Structures are given as C-alpha cells and as structure tokens.
Amino acid sequence: MESIVEAVGAEFGCNEGDVLVKGRKKNKAGEIAVYIARDLGTYFNGISGAAITMRYKQAAKEIVNDKRLRRKVNRIKECMFNFKMCP
C-alpha cells in the first residue's frame, strides 16, 4: 500500500498526506491511488467497499477518456512493478 501512495504522490507531485486525505472532492491523486489499490485487491485507508467501487468506476471512466491520465496511471504501475526509478 505504501508503494502505491509513494508512486502516485511522485507522479502527481504531491505528498502522501495529500494522496490519503479523506473527504476531499476532486482529489485526483487519491482517486488514482484507490483505483490502483482496488485493481490490486487492496483496501484503501478505511474507505468502505461501496466508496471504493464508486471511486474506481469514476477513475476508470476518466482513464478511458483522458490519454494524459491514462499515461500517468501506466507510469505509476510500471514504476511499481518494474522497479523503475520514479520521478
């Protein structure tokens, strides 16, 4: 879980606290961290299963429609799983 938060924070240029903050609307870094965590089957910082599913679906829609966001997600996954240097 920590590696997800670190990789997302590095990609979005924010700290771990910004990624993990609860209740903030329009927290793209947090959404993407939840998306990746759910994709890996991990629960995220005490968020309910229903909230994870809702955020996952929202992020998945945006990733399909936004090439730039899709590239960010792919870089995060590459960084995490290929042990590449993160930005």
Side-chain angles (χ1 to χ4, degrees), residues 61-76:
K61 277 186 204 176
E62 290 184 43
I63 289 165
V64 167
N65 296 320
D66 185 338
K67 290 179 186 176
R68 192 167 143 223
L69 184 58
R70 187 168 46 247
R71 282 193 303 269
K72 283 183 177 282
V73 170
N74 288 335
R75 280 194 303 267
I76 292 165

Side-chain angles (χ1 to χ4, degrees), residues 71-84:
R71 282 193 303 269
K72 283 183 177 282
V73 170
N74 288 335
R75 280 194 303 267
I76 292 165
K77 287 181 177 181
E78 285 175 10
C79 177
M80 290 174 56
F81 298 115
N82 295 329
F83 302 102
K84 290 172 68 176

Side-chain angles (χ1 to χ4, degrees), residues 39-50:
D39 212 25
L40 299 173
T42 306
Y43 288 101
F44 192 77
N45 200 27
I47 298 173
S48 72

